[in-house]
Each structure stands twice: as C-alpha cells, then as structure tokens.
Amino acid sequence: MAKVLVTRRIPGNALKRLEEAFDCVVSQFDRALTAQEMIEMGREAEGILTLLTDKWTGELMDKFPNLKILSNYAVGFDNIDIDAATKREIMVCNTPSEEVNEAVAEFAWSLILSLSRRVVEADEFSRKGAYHGWEPDVFLGRDVYGKTLGIVGLGRIGAMVARRAKGFNMNVLYYNRSRNEEVEKETGAKMHPIEHVLGESDYVTIHLPLTEETRHLINSEKIGFMKSTAYLINTARGAVVVEHALVEALHTGKIAGAALDVHENEPQMNPEMMQMENVILTPHIASATIEVREKMGEQAVDAILKALKGEKPENLVNPEVWPTLHLADISSRTFSSR
C-alpha cells in the first residue's frame, strides 16, 4: 500500500479520503515541520501533501526516494524548487480556484477600506475605554469613492479587485506584463507603466506571483513615485516589497499608510511596522474562509489520489514530467484501496 505524508492537518474532511486509500501519516504538530521531522515521518512516502511553510529543495527531495508527487496546499508554489522536482520526475500540484481568487480579492478590499477609514485604530481606541463621546475630528479618514486605484498585477485576482472598484466609482489604473482588454471593457481600467500607476494612485494593491522578476519589485525607487497621501496594500507575496524601504517611507511620510497580509520574512513581521498606527498587519489570511479551505483540501487530496492511481492530476505545475513517467508501473506498484 502506498505511503502518504501530510505535513500538517488541514481544515475540512478531505483527509479522510487519503486515510481510507493509503497508509497515511498526518503530522500531529500544530506547526510547520522541520526538514528532519518530515524525513523521519515520511521517508518512504510516495505522495506528500505539503504546505507553503514547507521549503522543498532538491537536496530534501532526495531524502524521499519513492516520492512521486508533492501536492501543495496553496496557490503559490515558491516554496518548492520546481526545476529540482522536474529533474527528479516528481509531479508538483497546487490548489488554484475561483473561490481562492474571490476570497483574496475580498480581503484586499477589506484592507483598503480599513486603512482609509482607520478601522483598526478606532477599534483599539474603543477597547481601551478611550471613547467618551462623539467628536468632529476624531479618526478622520479618507474617501475611497471617486479616487484612483492602482493594481499591480491584473491576473484573475487583480481583475476581481478592479470589478469591485466600479461600485466605488473609482478610476482604475493597472500594471501588467500584457494588456487585459476584457477587464478594460468591463471596468474602464487603463494599462500604464508601473511608475505611472504608482504615481497617480491613491490606493495601490499588489497581486503578483513571486518570481525572480517580481522579487523586490516595490523598492525605494518605486515607492518614491507614490503620493504622500497614498496607501500600499499587499496580499500577494511578502518578498515583492522591500520592507525596509517601506518602513522608511512610512517613517518619513512619503506615503500615508500600508496594509500587509504577507511579509518579507514570514513568519516574522517587521518590528518597526508593528508599532505604527498607520499600518495594518495580518497573518497571511487573505484566502482564509471556511469554503476556500475546504476547496483547497479537496484539490490537494484529489491530486494525490489521481497521481498514485496513474492518472494525470489537475493543476500540475510541471506538466513536462508527465510524458516521462511510467504511469502503468506507478499504478501497479503504489495504489491499493482498503
């Protein structure tokens, strides 16, 4: 019977199907495993359901001689060396869906609105018992309606953010590698170089994957183009932004505020920003809804079930490995139903 390792228990009921089909080891630790712990728990594993907090190098993959598939419980897969996996003929799958995209777009908007109306500051003020009656100038925020929204990365999530901006009668500018004429027609969005988008926007929201091209894209030079009244929102990947440059801009008033759901050195958050009232910090929860987590679990489990039965899994990140695999042999050697 095939062995499967789950590096951390996930929400929902999807794991039951893995446990019924395979010799399944599920980590009981409520934290990310160390590399050594993963090796000790699942050295013989042929499938691994892994999380974005697990860092997979080629060296670590070599410790799992029977490994056929890494099913990543995440949309992004920058935690896995895809080239190394492909070289070793290991399938890598992820869990993208419209449900995830909608949840992240919603959360980006929740941060935009919370920043503009100083919701977190006002909540903390109220909880401290400092509210003693209405005042005309307490927690003055800024309007969103009619302002300019800059979207850095107009993929599926960025497009959903743009569509929601229509309800606030916003002018939408975007930066992307290629033009998205469909979204332009729907929302009136206009494509521009990133410097123009940053310079003209009142709210800038980032929706880019982390690649070598996008790593540290938002640096001190780019932030320097932004208005002193502008806000930066990041629900993509922390390393797209150079955090020390952002801290400097916030300290000096080069921009008005920021909201980060992702962080350059996760799980550590920048200690200086933790002390700033004009910054909202959340613990990578943009896709954290009950419905989305259930969907992601089903996708991650389905990928392992299919792969170890010799079927091509959905959301295969490195499809070039598929033709090279001896699928019939994989099926006969690994899959056995209880």
Side-chain angles (χ1 to χ4, degrees):
M1 180 180 292
K3 295 182 181 298
V4 171
L5 170 66
V6 178
T7 64
R8 190 167 185 172
R9 185 164 291 279
I10 58 175
N13 300 312
L15 287 184
K16 290 180 180 178
R17 293 190 292 134
L18 276 186
E19 293 170 327
E20 290 169 356
F22 304 116
D23 180 3
C24 191
V25 175
V26 181
S27 171
Q28 299 305 306
F29 295 108
D30 190 21
R31 58 168 173 78
L33 297 178
T34 66
Q36 187 57 40
E37 286 172 334
M38 285 194 286
I39 295 167
E40 292 172 359
M41 288 183 187
R43 190 187 304 272
E44 302 303 318
E46 298 173 50
I48 297 180
L49 195 158
T50 187
L51 276 66
L52 59 84
T53 45
D54 304 323
K55 307 302 180 185
W56 286 93
T57 63
E59 182 180 3
L60 180 57
M61 294 175 202
D62 288 338
K63 303 297 184 181
F64 298 83
N66 301 323
L67 186 58
K68 304 296 188 300
I69 178 171
L70 284 168
S71 185
N72 206 37
Y73 182 80
V75 176
F77 42 85
D78 46 282
N79 58 311
I80 300 174
D81 186 333
I82 302 299
D83 289 339
T86 301
K87 184 184 297 185
R88 291 160 176 78
E89 297 186 352
I90 297 170
M91 291 175 277
V92 178
C93 294
N94 65 338
T95 58
S97 69
E98 290 301 280
E99 290 88 342
V100 169
N101 298 337
E102 292 282 4
V104 175
E106 285 180 3
F107 194 76
W109 267 103
S110 74
L111 293 179
I112 291 170
L113 294 171
S114 295
L115 268 178
S116 66
R117 298 304 302 273
R118 302 175 66 180
V119 172
V120 175
E121 292 176 73
D123 175 78
E124 292 177 352
F125 176 86
S126 300
R127 290 174 186 272
K128 292 175 182 176
Y131 176 61
H132 301 297
W134 184 86
E135 298 176 40
D137 60 352
V138 67
F139 293 110
L140 294 178
R142 295 183 182 274
D143 291 333
V144 170
Y145 188 87
K147 295 295 179 65
T148 297
L149 177 67
I151 301 175
V152 180
L154 199 73
R156 290 185 178 274
I157 296 172
M160 290 174 179
V161 171
R163 293 184 184 103
R164 286 164 169 79
K166 290 179 65 177
F168 291 94
N169 194 34
M170 298 187 83
N171 173 40
V172 179
L173 308 177
Y174 74 95
Y175 165 75
N176 204 49
R177 286 189 300 177
S178 57
R179 188 176 176 186
N180 192 326
E181 295 186 33
E182 179 183 348
V183 175
E184 288 181 6
K185 290 177 182 177
E186 285 184 64
T187 66
K190 297 179 178 63
M191 181 177 176
H192 290 282
I194 191 169
E195 293 82 3
H196 181 88
V197 172
L198 295 173
E200 296 297 320
S201 298
D202 299 296
Y203 301 89
V204 176
T205 180
I206 301 170
H207 301 286
L208 292 169
L210 180 61
T211 65
E212 288 308 307
E213 181 182 358
T214 64
R215 184 180 296 275
H216 290 169
L217 175 67
I218 307 300
N219 52 26
S220 58
E221 178 187 8
K222 297 293 195 310
I223 294 172
F225 288 103
M226 294 177 66
K227 298 178 181 180
S228 61
T229 54
Y231 299 91
L232 181 70
I233 297 93
N234 187 10
T235 56
R237 283 291 184 265
V240 174
V241 177
V242 180
E243 282 191 1
H244 69 81
L246 178 58
V247 168
E248 177 64 20
L250 291 163
H251 269 312
T252 59
K254 288 182 180 178
I255 65 173
L260 306 179
D261 182 53
V262 288
H263 311 275
E264 188 174 7
N265 299 300
E266 287 187 24
Q268 287 77 34
M269 295 186 186
N270 187 285
E272 291 184 77
M273 281 194 280
M274 291 174 72
Q275 307 302 317
M276 295 180 177
E277 293 182 347
N278 58 340
V279 175
I280 297 175
L281 302 174
T282 54
H284 205 142
I285 57 171
S287 65
T289 70
I290 294 170
E291 296 87 350
V292 166
R293 290 291 184 258
E294 185 72 38
K295 175 74 174 183
M296 291 170 62
E298 294 292 340
Q299 289 176 294
V301 166
D302 283 344
I304 294 176
L305 288 170
K306 287 187 175 183
L308 297 188
K309 282 194 289 187
E311 300 173 9
K312 186 177 181 179
E314 296 179 7
N315 303 316
L316 188 56
V317 173
N318 54 345
E320 59 270 32
V321 305
W322 183 251
T324 67
L325 298 174
H326 303 292
L327 301 179
D329 182 51
I330 291 174
S331 179
S332 64
R333 285 189 297 105
T334 64
F335 185 76
S336 176
S337 179
R338 287 181 181 172

